[in-house]
Amino acid sequence: MKQATPDFLALARQYPTSFDLRDRARRLMPRFAFEYMDGGAGPVDLGVRRNWTALDNVELAPRYGKVARPPSCEASLFGRAYSAPVGVAPIGGPGTAFPGAETYLATAAQTMRVPYTLGVLSGIDVEEAARIAPNVLWFQLYRFSRNDHQIGLDLTRRAAAAGVHALVLTIDTPIRTVRPRETKAGILNPFKISMRLRLDALSSPRWTASLARHGIPRFASLKPYLKPNASLEETTEFIRREQGGAFTWDEIALYRDVWKGPLVLKGVLHPADARRAIDMGVNGLIVSNHGGRQIEALPASIDVLPAIAAEVAGRATIIFDSGVRSGVDAARAIALGADAAFAGKSFLWSLGALGAIGPEHYIRLLTEDLRATMGQLGCPTVADLRSVNRKHAAAWPGESLQG
Ligand SMILES: Cc1cc2nc3c(=O)[nH]c(=O)nc-3n(C[C@H](O)[C@H](O)[C@H](O)COP(=O)(O)O)c2cc1C
C-alpha cells in the first residue's frame, strides 16, 4: 500500500521546533532508547548543555535598508550542490532511537538534497545506503586497526565502489566513555538485551512495531567480517575487540592514499590539528566535540570554531556540529566560519517523535529557519552570512590554543 504524503505544513504547526520533537520523543520512546540518544557526558549533561549555551550566546546583528532579495540556502560542499548547508551527522546505532532509522534518514536526505553521513555502526550497509541516497551519501569510519587496518581499508574500498562522496574519519574517541543516563536506564556494557530492556521496549508500541518491521539492528556494514549469523551480543563483542582508539597521523595518511575522494576528519578542536590535517591532504574538517558525549570538560565546538577557521583560511571545507537545534544555530556556525552545520541528536529526536517522517520534517524546519534567519539578517546567499556582525564573547582566542 502506498503511504499518504505527510502534511508537512500541519507538522510544522504542531512541532515547530526541535524541542517540540524532543518532548514528544521523550513521551513516546522506550526509556533506554531516549537516554541513549539524548544523554551526554558528566553527571548533569554538562557536555550537551555547554554546546547549547555557547550557541545561544552567539548574537548576529542585522543591517537594514537594503533592497531585500529572497534568500537562497543552496550550498556547495566538495564540489557537489546541496539544497542547504545542513546535514545529518554520523550516528552509531540510530535504530535505537527508532528501528529503521538509517533508511528513513537516508531517504529524507536524498529527497531534500542534504548530506547524509552513514555511521559505520549502522543497521544498513554502505551499499544499501548508496542505493537509497546515491547523491548525498557520506560514510564515517571508526578505527579498526588489526592486520594493518584490513577491515577499515576494505570498508574504504567498498565505500568508493558504492559511490560514497566523502569519507569521514572520526578522531575524537581515543577512549570509550560511559554516559550516566545510559547506565541508569539499564544499558549494560558489554551490551546485552536484558529483561529490563525488553520490558522497557514493550512500553512503546510504535517503536516495537518498527522493530518487528526492520529486525534487531546488526551493524550491517561489518557483516562480511563477522562469523555467519552472529548475534547482537557477539557483534557488539566483536566491535569491542576490533574497534577502538583514535586514528594517528600515520594512519590518516594510509587512508589518504587509498581514498581518492574528499577526506574529512571529524572531531577537530584545535587549529594546529587542522593545519596538520590540511598539510597532509585532508579536504574537510568537522569541528565537533561529539555532541558533548565524550567528557564534559571539552570546549563547546562553537567556541573553538573561529580560531580553527582563521587557521584554515579557506584551504579546507569546515563542517560544524555539536549543539545544532535550529537553522539559527546553523547560521551562527556559518557566520563564525563554517561552510555547513550538521546535527546528530535533533535528527534522532525527530525519529523518536514522528518515526519515518521525522527526518524530512526536521530538514524542512532547519532549512526554513535558516532561510528566515538569512532574510532577517539581509543575507541573500549563504556566503553573505560570513560577513554578518557577530558577538561571541566566549570564543577561544587563537593564542590560547597554541602548542
Ligand atoms: C546517539 C549518538 C551516537 C553517535 N554515534 C557516532 C558515531 O558512531 N560516529 C561518530 O563519528 N559520531 C557519533 N556521534 C556524534 C555525532 O556524529 C555528532 O558529532 C553529534 O551528535 C553532534 O552533536 P549534536 O548531537 O548536539 O547535534 C553520535 C552521537 C549520538 C547522539
Side-chain angles (χ1 to χ4, degrees):
M1 203 178 64
K2 200 170 178 303
Q3 296 269 313
T5 312
D7 182 347
F8 287 109
L9 280 177
L11 283 176
R13 282 193 289 270
Q14 237 180 324
Y15 308 105
T17 73
S18 60
F19 279 98
D20 299 305
L21 297 169
R22 182 175 186 238
D23 288 346
R24 183 173 155 92
R26 191 199 292 273
R27 282 199 307 278
L28 292 186
M29 289 171 65
R31 175 163 175 239
F32 77 85
F34 186 79
E35 297 299 275
Y36 167 67
M37 73 173 187
D38 194 68
V44 289
D45 268 354
L46 188 61
V48 172
R49 288 197 290 124
R50 190 194 305 287
N51 285 330
W52 293 351
T53 307
L55 278 162
D56 291 344
N57 287 332
V58 175
E59 296 173 28
L60 305 175
R63 297 292 307 276
Y64 298 128
K66 285 181 283 185
V67 177
R69 278 196 282 143
S72 158
C73 292
E74 286 285 324
S76 168
L77 299 171
F78 306 118
R80 192 167 287 189
Y82 293 99
S83 68
V86 296
V88 186
I91 305 290
T96 313
F98 191 70
E102 299 85 349
T103 299
Y104 304 132
L105 287 165
T107 304
Q110 174 72 17
T111 306
M112 297 301 292
R113 258 193 332 117
V114 300
Y116 171 53
T117 320
L118 180 78
V120 65
L121 304 179
S122 286
I124 59 173
D125 60 23
V126 62
E127 290 82 5
E128 170 74 2
R131 275 190 290 277
I132 302 173
N135 304 120
V136 297
L137 185 64
W138 300 16
F139 184 52
Q140 173 265 336
L141 279 184
Y142 276 131
R143 179 172 176 272
F144 291 82
S145 57
R146 198 161 57 84
N147 290 344
D148 298 328
H149 293 257
Q150 202 176 28
I151 293 178
L153 292 176
D154 191 52
L155 284 162
T156 302
R157 292 188 197 97
R158 283 171 56 192
V164 163
H165 187 211
L167 183 73
V168 176
L169 303 179
T170 298
I171 59 168
D172 65 3
T173 50
I175 48 138
R176 281 179 213 277
T177 51
V178 183
R179 285 161 289 277
R181 282 174 58 191
E182 274 178 33
T183 313
K184 284 189 283 183
I187 297 183
L188 301 170
N189 193 1
F191 184 76
K192 193 168 171 303
I193 306 180
S194 64
M195 186 51 73
R196 178 172 170 192
L197 292 200
R198 282 175 209 270
L199 290 173
D200 192 1
L202 287 176
S203 69
S204 177
R206 212 191 39 167
W207 191 94
T208 14
S210 198
L211 185 70
R213 200 170 319 126
H214 292 278
I216 292 179
R218 286 289 161 78
F219 305 124
S221 288
L222 300 178
K223 200 168 165 205
Y225 321 115
L226 286 156
K227 72 173 200 197
N229 302 318
S231 67
L232 183 57
E233 278 88 355
E234 285 166 334
T235 307
T236 47
E237 180 45 40
F238 172 87
I239 292 166
R240 276 176 67 79
R241 210 174 50 236
E242 296 284 332
Q243 180 245 307
F247 290 100
T248 65
W249 293 112
D250 285 348
E251 290 169 344
I252 294 163
L254 191 64
Y255 284 81
R256 177 64 295 178
D257 278 350
V258 173
W259 175 259
K260 303 301 175 208
L263 183 68
V264 180
L265 285 198
K266 175 169 185 284
V268 176
L269 289 176
H270 197 292
D273 288 346
R275 186 188 328 132
R276 182 147 187 186
I278 293 167
D279 287 349
M280 62 194 293
V282 167
N283 312 96
L285 309 166
I286 304 185
V287 177
S288 166
N289 66 14
H290 215 92
R293 289 168 68 83
Q294 282 299 100
I295 64 158
E296 65 174 32
L298 296 184
S301 46
I302 197 73
D303 289 344
V304 292
L305 176 63
I308 293 174
E311 177 64 43
V312 170
R315 290 176 297 150
T317 297
I318 299 181
I319 311 291
F320 170 82
D321 86 21
S322 297
V324 171
R325 300 145 295 171
S326 63
V328 174
D329 285 341
R332 288 174 164 127
I334 293 165
L336 293 175
D339 295 289
F342 284 12
K345 280 188 283 296
S346 44
F347 272 104
L348 298 176
W349 300 338
S350 78
L351 281 157
L354 300 174
I357 59 172
E360 181 171 338
H361 168 57
Y362 186 50
I363 296 168
R364 287 171 185 270
L365 282 188
L366 277 176
T367 310
E368 282 315 309
D369 192 37
L370 175 61
R371 202 188 315 281
T373 308
M374 289 166 62
Q376 179 74 35
L377 294 170
C379 298
T381 70
V382 172
D384 294 318
L385 280 169
R386 285 286 181 84
S387 40
V388 158
N389 290 309
R390 82 290 313 261
K391 190 171 94 186
H392 182 199
W396 279 60
E399 60 276 12
S400 62
L401 283 164
Q402 293 314 307

